[in-house]
Amino acid sequence: MTATLTSPELTEVEGKLTERRKSLADIYAEAGAELDMTKVKSIDGDSQAKVEHIRALDGEINDLATKREELRDIIRIGQSVHDNPEDERGTKGADADDHDSKDSIADQILKSEAFRHGKGMVDLDVDFKALMTTAAGWAPEATRGPRVADFATTPLDVLDLIPTGSTNQNAVTYMEETTFTNAAAETAEGAVKPEATLVLTEKTSPVRKIAVTMHVTDEQWDDEPQVRGYINRRMPFMVRQRLNTQIITGDGIAPNLEGALNVTGIQTQAKGTDPVPDAVYKAMVKVMTTGQAMPDAFVTNPLDWQDVRLLRTADGIYIWGSPADAGPERIWGLRTVLAQGMTQNTGLVGDFGNYSELAVRTGITVEVGFVNDDFSKNLKTLRAEMRAALLFYRPAALCSVTGI
C-alpha cells in the first residue's frame, strides 16, 4: 500500500487561510451590499481604519494562498518520487500522478458542499501555473458591422426648391425683358394708335465647378470592400452640400455661384417692429405685386424659426400649435424650409418653382487617378465634382426679410 505524504505546515496554512477568508466574508456581510463601513462592528475605528484592516486581511489571504500552493507543489513532487523511486519521477510523470492523487475538477464540484446544497461558491483545489487572460491568450473576437455613423454635418435642405435643367454650354445665356410698357388703349376712329415699348437685355449665368479631392492608399482601396461604397456616398454628398450653401449665400464672385440673397434686383422687407409673421406676409405681398409672382416657400434658419414656433399669446397659449403636436412647418400657407446655411436673422420668400433653375453641365462624377508622386507612394487620388449654372430669372420674385 502506497503511503500518502502529509505536511503539518500545509495543514496549519490551510487552517489559517480558511479562518482569514471567513473573517473577511463576515466583514463584507456586516457592511452589506452598499459597503457601509458604519455597519461593521467587528473592527474598531473609523471607515478609513476599517478599509485599511480589510486591505491587510486581503493581503494576508493572498500570501497564505500562495504559501499553500508552494507546499502542495512540494508534496506532489515528493509523492511522485516516493511512488516511483526507480526513475525519481515515475513513468507517469508528475502531472499524471497529480491527477491520481486528487479528484478531478468535475469530482471536486460534485462532492462540494456548495454543489450538494445548491448554494455558495465551489472552492476548487486546482493549480494554474500562469494566469491566462485576454492579454496572454485570445482577445474576444468582435465582428465589425456594415454601418458607418456619419459625422454630424449640415443637411441638404434647399436643393429640392430649385428646378433642375441641363446645358451643354459653359454658360447659360438668355434674354430678360427689362422694359414692358403696355400702351394699349381705346382709340378713336382715325386717331394715332398708342405705341408700346419692349426692351430685352441679354443675361448670362456662367457655369461654375464645385469639386473635392482626397487621397486613399492602395491597401485601403483594394483590401477593404466597404471603402469604395463609403467614398462613393460621402464625396458626392460633399459636393451637394457645398451647392446647397451656394444656392442661398453664394456671392457670385468667380468661381462662386450667385446665390439668391446676392442676386441683383432682389426685394427686401425689414422686420422693424413687426412680429415675424407680419414681416413675412409683407414680403409675400411684395413678391405678388412688384414681382408679379406667387411665392411657394419661406427659407429661414432653424434658430430663427424657433422663435416663431414658440410664439405665445399674452396668456401663454402657443400660436403655432400645442407642444404636444408636431406643429405645421408652414407660415401663411407657405412651405417653411429650415436651412442651416441660411444667414441667421434673415429669411427669404420666393417663387422658386417658376423663376429659378439649376442648369447642370456635368452631373456629379467620382474619378480615380494619380497626382504628382501618388504612383511611387501607392496612393490614389479621388475626385468628385460637378459643373452647373444657377439662374434666378426674375429677381423681383424673391424678397429677403431682414432683422428677424
Side-chain angles (χ1 to χ4, degrees):
M1 182 175 180
T2 303
T4 300
L5 299 182
T6 61
S7 168
E9 185 179 5
L10 175 60
T11 302
E12 180 183 0
V13 168
E14 289 181 332
K16 289 181 179 180
L17 181 58
T18 301
E19 185 270 329
R20 301 298 191 279
R21 284 175 171 170
K22 184 178 183 306
S23 296
L24 186 58
D26 290 343
I27 294 171
Y28 279 112
E30 286 184 89
E34 298 80 12
L35 296 181
D36 185 354
M37 292 296 110
T38 62
K39 296 180 179 180
V40 178
K41 306 303 181 183
S42 59
I43 306 174
D44 295 329
D46 57 13
S47 294
Q48 183 62 39
K50 293 175 182 179
V51 170
E52 292 296 336
H53 180 88
I54 290 173
R55 290 174 178 169
L57 187 57
D58 185 63
E60 190 176 353
I61 289 172
N62 291 333
D63 292 341
L64 287 169
T66 300
K67 182 65 174 178
R68 181 186 65 172
E69 295 310 314
E70 292 174 351
L71 291 171
R72 284 182 173 177
D73 284 342
I74 293 173
I75 289 175
R76 276 193 291 272
I77 294 171
Q79 187 73 53
S80 176
V81 172
H82 182 274
D83 293 342
N84 302 279
E86 67 281 0
D87 60 359
E88 295 186 337
R89 291 298 303 272
T91 57
K92 291 190 292 182
D95 289 340
D97 185 68
D98 179 52
H99 285 288
D100 290 342
S101 63
K102 65 178 181 180
D103 291 331
S104 68
I105 294 176
D107 290 337
Q108 292 181 57
I109 294 174
L110 292 173
K111 293 180 180 180
S112 69
E113 289 290 323
F115 181 84
R116 287 189 287 110
H117 295 290
K119 59 183 180 180
M121 296 291 292
V122 178
D123 185 13
L124 300 179
D125 181 14
V126 182
D127 290 327
F128 292 101
K129 298 302 182 185
L131 179 62
M132 189 171 186
T133 67
T134 55
W138 282 276
E141 182 178 2
T143 301
R144 185 174 61 234
R147 176 164 179 171
V148 176
D150 293 340
F151 185 81
T153 189
T154 307
L156 309 178
D157 35 37
V158 298
L159 278 178
D160 63 349
L161 280 179
I162 312 297
T164 302
S166 62
T167 181
N168 59 3
Q169 305 292 316
N170 68 345
V172 176
T173 302
Y174 62 97
M175 302 303 291
E176 180 184 350
E177 190 179 73
T178 53
T179 299
F180 174 84
T181 303
N182 182 2
E186 298 71 23
T187 307
E189 184 179 356
V192 177
K193 284 35 172 210
E195 183 178 353
T197 302
L198 295 174
V199 177
L200 298 177
T201 302
E202 186 177 272
K203 297 287 185 179
T204 300
S205 180
V207 169
R208 305 293 196 194
K209 180 185 296 182
I210 299 176
V212 65
T213 64
M214 68 179 296
H215 288 87
V216 180
T217 64
D218 286 353
E219 290 82 358
Q220 180 74 175
W221 183 257
D222 296 335
D223 299 344
E224 175 49 58
Q226 194 173 357
V227 73
R228 299 191 186 194
Y230 171 67
I231 290 175
N232 285 333
R233 177 174 64 88
R234 293 305 275 171
M235 290 189 72
F237 173 81
M238 293 176 184
V239 174
R240 288 195 296 269
Q241 187 183 56
R242 180 59 182 175
L243 174 62
N244 187 81
T245 301
Q246 289 274 290
I247 285 174
I248 299 297
T249 60
D251 61 16
I253 301 172
N256 292 302
L257 295 170
E258 188 174 54
L261 291 179
N262 293 305
V263 171
T264 301
I266 184 177
Q267 302 190 77
T268 300
Q269 173 64 47
K271 174 184 176 295
T273 58
D274 289 333
V276 173
D278 290 23
V280 172
Y281 189 77
K282 290 180 179 180
M284 292 172 59
V285 172
K286 284 188 174 182
V287 170
M288 289 185 285
T289 55
T290 303
Q292 292 299 315
M294 186 57 64
D296 55 17
F298 171 58
V299 183
T300 184
N301 189 287
L303 294 174
D304 293 331
W305 182 249
Q306 171 182 270
D307 296 334
V308 176
R309 186 66 178 85
L310 297 178
L311 285 174
R312 289 185 290 176
T313 62
D315 54 352
I317 298 174
Y318 286 95
I319 296 174
W320 248 253
S322 167
D325 302 325
E329 297 295 331
R330 306 186 75 82
I331 185 168
W332 301 114
L334 292 184
R335 169 190 174 189
T336 299
V337 178
L338 305 183
Q340 294 183 30
M342 184 68 185
T343 303
Q344 196 172 346
N345 302 319
T346 301
L348 180 64
V349 174
D351 186 347
F352 298 95
N354 290 317
Y355 298 105
S356 66
E357 181 185 359
L358 181 69
V360 178
R361 176 69 174 87
T362 306
I364 298 176
T365 59
V366 179
E367 297 177 308
V368 182
F370 296 112
V371 175
N372 299 326
D373 57 353
D374 282 0
F375 184 78
S376 64
K377 292 182 177 179
N378 287 100
L379 297 177
K380 298 182 188 299
T381 296
L382 290 91
R383 180 186 67 202
E385 67 178 22
M386 72 172 297
R387 296 177 67 205
L390 181 61
L391 302 101
F392 293 97
Y393 292 109
R394 186 179 294 178
L398 303 172
C399 184
S400 64
V401 184
T402 60
I404 61 177

